[in-house]
Amino acid sequence: MRSWLFTPATGGERLKKAFRSAADAVIVDLEDAVAFSEKDSARAAAGTCLAELDGKRPAVYLRVNEQGSPWYRADMEMAVRSGFDGVMLPKSHSGDDIQRAEELLRSLGAGPETFALVPLIESAAGVVHAEEIAEAGAFVRQLAFGSLDFLLDLGGRSTDTGAELLYARSKLALASRAAGKEGPVDAVFPDFRNDEGLRADTLLSRALGFQGKLLIHPRQIPVVNEAFAPSGEEIQLALEITEAFRAAEAEGKGAIQVRGKMVDQPVYRKNQQLLEQARLFGLLAEEAK
């Protein structure tokens, strides 16, 4: 899933538009987007939102309030009871946080086969303990990065280059891969009217090994979906590489050149992976092997 769109549980018509959008996943938010005085009413609204959906829908997750808050348990109970695909757990600082969440989910009758837990890493402790968080339990399929709270916790500052986030992003991508999880979901790009900035930021996410990106506005969806999908030029080159390498292998050759670049087994496998992505996104016919 490439595009993960946040929408407040109290959003009303905005919530309905989010479900009708091209987002791969919608995150119904009970945490940052909801005032303390509205937490209970927002939960009630979120509990009925899936019942109103019919036909094809995106994956729907609930961002619950953090552990230790007075709303956390009721949020988790409602997510399981109402048929959400999973929960996003904010302020995930350690593997212990994940184990406690998983114990609660099991006690509520949820199973990792049908319900996912997405730890949101948004603190220095969370980044430092990314490996143990990724490995903490069966409900965790992938991690997500919350850069705004991370920089607040770190005392850092945002820059145009994003260099201040490079280590944290790399750590999450490496921890996810080492734990055998799906690629993580990258942080929001706050300037939702800056399409070129968003595209550049998303291409960097993809290059680092992220699978998707958190979004704050529907207008960001097509930019992110396109940036995470292989381009026409990438697909064409991958087809040339795989065809040429197979022919070379049949002749007993282990390395060749395509368009002036060396191609060996790792390069061949990487381009096979790209073609599988293209098929997944409907950009390449199944018979194009």
Side-chain angles (χ1 to χ4, degrees):
M1 296 183 290
R2 300 161 292 176
S3 47
W4 296 61
L5 178 64
F6 277 115
T7 186
T10 54
E13 188 60 32
R14 285 176 58 192
L15 188 59
K16 295 178 182 179
K17 289 181 178 179
F19 290 137
R20 294 194 298 265
S21 74
D24 293 327
V26 171
I27 307 167
V28 180
D29 193 7
L30 292 178
E31 194 212 14
D32 285 348
V34 177
F36 291 165
S37 61
E38 297 183 344
K39 296 289 188 182
D40 293 332
S41 60
R43 185 188 312 109
T48 62
C49 67
L50 295 185
E52 300 172 2
L53 299 180
D54 54 359
K56 184 179 178 181
R57 67 167 176 83
V60 185
Y61 292 77
L62 185 73
R63 177 159 74 166
V64 299
N65 288 282
E66 66 181 288
Q67 291 182 352
S69 73
W71 311 284
Y72 169 69
R73 184 181 179 89
D75 291 349
M76 296 284 274
E77 290 175 347
M78 186 275 289
V80 174
R81 183 179 65 249
S82 300
F84 280 81
D85 296 297
V87 294
M88 178 168 283
L89 185 66
K91 312 298 188 293
S92 294
H93 303 307
S94 69
D96 289 342
D97 292 338
I98 307 308
Q99 290 172 4
R100 285 193 298 270
E102 294 211 348
E103 288 172 4
L104 175 57
L105 288 172
R106 290 187 187 279
S107 74
L108 296 172
E113 303 82 10
T114 57
F115 196 90
L117 175 64
V118 182
L120 186 58
I121 311 298
E122 45 188 343
S123 67
V127 171
V128 168
H129 297 130
E131 290 93 343
E132 69 175 62
I133 292 172
E135 296 171 351
F139 283 83
V140 177
R141 298 177 191 170
Q142 60 200 135
L143 307 178
F145 183 38
S147 63
L148 301 181
D149 280 291
F150 168 72
L151 285 179
L152 178 64
D153 181 52
L154 189 66
R157 294 176 181 269
S158 297
T159 68
D160 292 337
T161 65
E164 70 283 0
L165 301 176
L166 184 58
Y167 172 78
R169 282 168 149 173
S170 299
K171 183 75 180 291
L172 264 63
L174 289 168
S176 299
R177 181 57 184 162
K181 307 296 183 179
E182 297 179 19
V185 185
D186 198 16
V188 300
F189 186 78
D191 187 359
F192 64 85
R193 298 189 183 278
N194 182 357
D195 291 349
E196 288 308 310
L198 173 62
R199 181 174 290 106
D201 197 54
T202 305
L203 290 173
L204 174 60
S205 301
R206 180 184 171 194
L208 290 173
F210 282 77
Q211 177 178 286
K213 194 164 183 62
L214 302 173
L215 312 179
I216 60 171
H217 196 282
R219 65 165 288 140
Q220 296 179 310
I221 296 170
V223 176
V224 167
N225 282 351
E226 180 182 354
F228 271 111
S231 68
E233 174 61 23
E234 287 176 320
I235 294 171
Q236 181 58 41
L237 178 57
L239 288 170
E240 292 179 25
I241 286 173
T242 54
E243 181 180 356
F245 191 81
R246 286 170 183 158
E249 274 194 320
E251 298 174 0
K253 298 177 183 178
I256 59 173
Q257 289 189 24
V258 176
R259 296 194 191 182
K261 296 182 180 180
M262 190 272 287
V263 176
D264 58 6
Q265 274 287 346
V267 175
Y268 169 67
R269 291 198 299 269
K270 181 65 177 176
N271 281 274
Q272 280 186 310
Q273 185 182 70
L274 185 144
L275 293 177
E276 286 303 313
Q277 287 183 324
R279 293 186 186 96
L280 178 66
F281 297 141
L283 303 174
L284 186 65
E286 184 62 32
E287 60 268 19
K289 300 293 186 181

